[in-house]
Amino acid sequence: QLSAKSIFVQRVTTWSNGDREGSISMKTIGLGEATIFYHGKVLQGTWQKEALESPTRFFDEEGREVVSEEAPVWIEVLPTGNMFTYE
């Protein structure tokens, strides 16, 4: 069983690498939509990563950065268009 204090679902653009294994690449530099489970709440927001060496940052709907200082934190990268549910 796994548990985390905060979960960040980062939606990214993906594309096929065209190999026999069916592997994909993910665009993780730039910005996109995010769903953030934080302090018992669900927030819709965005993520942003400026460069390969930069950290990925998450923001709520009002543009305030969401930073979890409590470990553990789970970041799930989900292709745009894929659905997920939660309770």
Side-chain angles (χ1 to χ4, degrees):
Q1 182 175 1
L2 300 173
S3 66
K5 295 285 184 181
S6 301
I7 301 172
F8 297 83
V9 180
Q10 177 181 354
R11 292 191 181 85
V12 299
T13 301
T14 61
W15 60 93
S16 171
N17 289 329
D19 58 19
R20 290 187 297 179
E21 290 80 19
S23 62
I24 60 172
S25 290
M26 298 182 172
K27 183 179 182 206
T28 57
I29 298 174
L31 54 95
E33 295 180 359
T35 301
I36 303 164
F37 300 87
Y38 182 72
H39 288 268
K41 297 179 182 174
V42 180
L43 309 173
Q44 297 304 317
T46 58
W47 63 268
Q48 179 179 341
K49 182 176 176 83
E50 295 178 4
L52 185 60
E53 302 81 19
S54 304
T56 302
R57 299 168 61 201
F58 293 88
F59 302 89
D60 67 14
E61 290 176 303
E62 296 176 13
R64 295 179 297 222
E65 187 168 10
V66 179
V67 178
S68 179
E69 298 184 13
E70 299 178 57
V73 174
W74 184 284
I75 298 175
E76 181 69 27
V77 180
L78 183 69
T80 302
N82 284 24
M83 299 295 293
F84 74 98
T85 60
Y86 55 90
E87 295 180 21

